[in-house]
Every structure is written in C-alpha cells, then in structure tokens.
Amino acid sequence: MAKRVAIIASNGGLEAAYKVLNIATAAAATDAEVGIFFTFEGLSIIHKQSETMLKLRPENEHFSEGFKRANVPTVSELLEIAQDSGVKMIACQMTVDVMGLSKDDFIDGIEVGGAVAFLDFAYDADVSVTF
Amino acid sequence: MTQQLVNLTIDCKGLSCPMPIVKTKKAIDQVSPGQVLEVLATDPGSVADIKSWATRTGHQFIGTTKDGNVFKHYIRRTDPNEVRPESRHADVISNEELQALLSQNPVILDVREPMEYTFGHIPGAKHVPLGQLEEELESLRNFADQVIHVVCRSGNRSDTACQILSEHGFPHVKNVVPGMSEWTFDLEQSQS
C-alpha cells in the first residue's frame, strides 16, 4: 500500500520552494502519493513568474554560489519532475481570491481548491508536513 | 561465457538530492525484473538515500562501492514472481545445517545474479545465475551423484533451480532456506 504525503506550502522565497519540492519529488520517487496545498506566499512557488518572485532571503544570498556548486536543479525543473511523477498540486482558493489572482496566473496542471479539497487528501495521509 | 554484471548504468555524478533518487526511480522502470541497475553518484547523501529508497520501494539493494569520489550503487529490480512460486521443491536444508557441513566441502550452487554473488557468497560456492542454469546443466553433470545445495537470496529462485535440476536427472538436490538474505556466517567476495 503506497504511503501518502500531504504538504502545506505557506511561505515564499527560494528556500521554501526547495524545501517543499525536494520533499515532494523524493516522496514521489519513493512511490508515495503526494499532494501539496499552496497558500499565501507559498502560491509564488507555482506562479508562472516564480523565477522572478522567488528570491533568497538577504541573509542567505551567499547560498547562491552553493546552489550552483551543488548543481541543484532549478525550481521549474523540480516542478516539472513533480508533475511528471504525479504530485497533486492545489492552490488555495481563498488566498488566490484575496491576492487578486486567478488560475491563469499559475503553471498548467494545478487545481484551485478549498481547504476541504486538501483535507480530503490529507485525512488519509501517513505523513504531513508544513513549510 | 561472459556474464553481464550490470544491465543498465545511470550517471548521477554531480547531482544533488533529490535528483539521484528521482533518476533511479525512472531507471528502475527501464530494466526487467531480476536485472541489475548501477547508479553512479557523487552526492554522499545518496549512500543512505539509495538504500532506503530500495527498501521502501521493494527493490533489492545489493550494495555500494566507492571509486575515488564516485559511489556506485547496485540495485536489483524485484521480480514479482519471486514472491509467490507455484510449487515447492520438498527437500530443503537450513542455513545453519549447511553451515555445519561446510568443513566437508559440500557442493553449493549459488543461482543469484553475478552482482549479488560478487558482493558476497558462501565460501566455495559455484555460481550459475538462474537464467543460465539450463544451458549450464552439462557442466554440473559431474556433481550429479553428490548432494547439490542450491542457494539464492530468499529461497525462491533456488527453489525454481532445484526443480529444474530434479527434472534433468539430478537426484540429490536441496534448497537452502532462507538463503543469503539471512546468512550470518562467513562470506567470500569475488575479485572483480
């Protein structure tokens, strides 16, 4: 029986994007069923303009060299891997509305849904994490 | 006879977590059940990650070697048929009973894949992978009047091998159970 991993992504920034997507892609590669609920600043991870929106925090800017040295995949590469491996991505309807966004502002393949849509998935999760 | 140790090699050198795992997952689907995947990686985290990944996904982690700063991980794709063989060879011997016989130089036939054998086998064990057993029967004919102890990882491939040998006129064949997965005694490694 496959494990199920439920992730809440509620923060923006490059750090948060990597935390969320590394766990999600590793879990999917380990045959887990993975769902991510993006809310508030976490929405920037799946925004079409994520590349310009996701920055390292000023105190972490020196990490950028390390990211290159460690040959870390880009956020869009990780998103593609996540989608290819069946990771379910839900954008929080309420925060999408509050921030004046629409489904078209996000990459293809995501759903916009309410908290219950995510909870329905998360109730049966074996692991849940929040970033 | 040339034996292929590795059926597919993927290069994850220079990649950091989670890419070695992501690529391993894709690659395992490209080999057939029973075949061996080699993963080359420089990420030190891959040593623990690949092992956990294999355990979690039900594939067999064979081992890791290190060559300079490159880790070579070996994984065997699990054959679903290994889990439920239809009939059983009746004559079995336990790991402990076989261990007690070792001083008498018993005939031991290891039918695992070459890479599994290379990482550790019972001292003195002969090696013929299950897939090549039928073509190698004649080379084993000299041992037909002795007891042949057949071993694999979990007792399933060796069970099939016992049945093949019995059908081809080897009257004294015993399946070693459970086999190498629980072998706690001495091991011999092949020089590759």
Side-chain angles (χ1 to χ4, degrees), chain A residues 3 21-22 25-26 28-31 70-73 78 81 84, chain B residues 13-19 21-22 25-26 52-53 56-57 59:
Chain A
K3 295 282 179 185
L21 294 173
N22 275 25
T25 51
T30 312
D31 291 344
N71 198 13
V72 174
L78 284 173
I81 291 165
D84 284 351
Chain B
K13 295 197 291 288
L15 300 178
S16 63
C17 173
M19 296 314 291
I21 290 294
V22 168
K25 159 73 177 163
K26 276 198 173 169
S52 302
W53 174 85
R56 185 57 72 178
T57 52
H59 298 292

Side-chain angles (χ1 to χ4, degrees), chain B residues 158-171:
Chain B
S158 53
D159 182 85
T160 307
C162 284
Q163 295 183 38
I164 292 171
L165 289 167
S166 300
E167 282 164 22
H168 289 85
F170 291 81

Side-chain angles (χ1 to χ4, degrees), chain B residues 54-71:
Chain B
T55 308
R56 185 57 72 178
T57 52
H59 298 292
Q60 179 194 349
F61 175 74
I62 301 173
T64 295
T65 61
K66 196 162 184 251
D67 185 0
N69 66 341
V70 179
F71 298 99

Side-chain angles (χ1 to χ4, degrees), chain A residues 2-18:
Chain A
K3 295 282 179 185
R4 181 178 277 200
V5 180
I7 301 172
I8 295 178
S10 61
N11 285 293
L14 204 55
E15 297 91 339
Y18 278 110

